[in-house]
Amino acid sequence: MSSTNIGLTSAAQVLASQPFNNLVGATIERFEGGEAILELEIRDCHRQQYGVVHGGVLAYLVDNALTFACGTVLGADIITEGMSVTYSRTARVGRLRATATVVEQGRSGASSTVVIHNVMPDGTERQCAVGQGSAVATGGGRSS
């Protein structure tokens, strides 16, 4: 896989510029070589009525993590093409860590797998979701 000249600092700026992420509160911890890691401290606003993290929060992490991972090989002007998420365990406390890895790369697109772990306050980790998806180059323009 080729590497882009976008670094972790630039990736963090991209994430910070997303108004929706400002509500969710994810941070980017790794951005290089076909891999991206996003983390999120679980807060009350992430839980649904049963006290567990809402599936939409996990889907958001899959979406952004896979696109950031693809961005390490395609560059910054990309957008998610599609994704799927499978939920395996609930999460209530601690933080979520979404690790995305590029598994296929073409000239204008890439595919990624994502594993989300719930990192408990005592440091133990439990897998709570997996996802996959793809991102495509936008040609430098924005799509609506």
Side-chain angles (χ1 to χ4, degrees), residues 44-96:
D44 284 340
C45 65
H46 299 127
R47 296 183 187 95
Q48 41 84 305
Q49 70 274 21
Y50 301 114
V52 300
V53 173
H54 192 284
V57 174
L58 297 171
Y60 170 78
L61 287 172
V62 168
D63 181 4
N64 254 4
L66 80 87
T67 302
F68 272 99
C70 292
T72 69
V73 298
L74 296 175
D77 293 319
I78 63 172
I79 192 166
T80 304
E81 182 176 45
M83 63 167 226
S84 65
V85 183
T86 301
Y87 306 106
S88 51
R89 283 192 167 157
T90 60
R92 294 177 185 271
V93 298
R95 75 187 136 88
L96 299 170

Side-chain angles (χ1 to χ4, degrees), residues 70-143:
C70 292
T72 69
V73 298
L74 296 175
D77 293 319
I78 63 172
I79 192 166
T80 304
E81 182 176 45
M83 63 167 226
S84 65
V85 183
T86 301
Y87 306 106
S88 51
R89 283 192 167 157
T90 60
R92 294 177 185 271
V93 298
R95 75 187 136 88
L96 299 170
R97 178 183 300 130
T99 304
T101 305
V102 172
V103 293
E104 185 176 358
Q105 175 190 355
R107 222 171 2 163
S108 63
S111 298
S112 174
T113 59
V114 183
V115 178
I116 300 178
H117 285 95
N118 181 195
V119 182
M120 304 301 286
D122 67 4
T124 60
E125 297 183 18
R126 303 180 319 158
Q127 181 177 306
C128 59
V130 295
Q132 62 183 10
S134 58
V136 295
T138 64
R142 298 286 183 241
S143 178

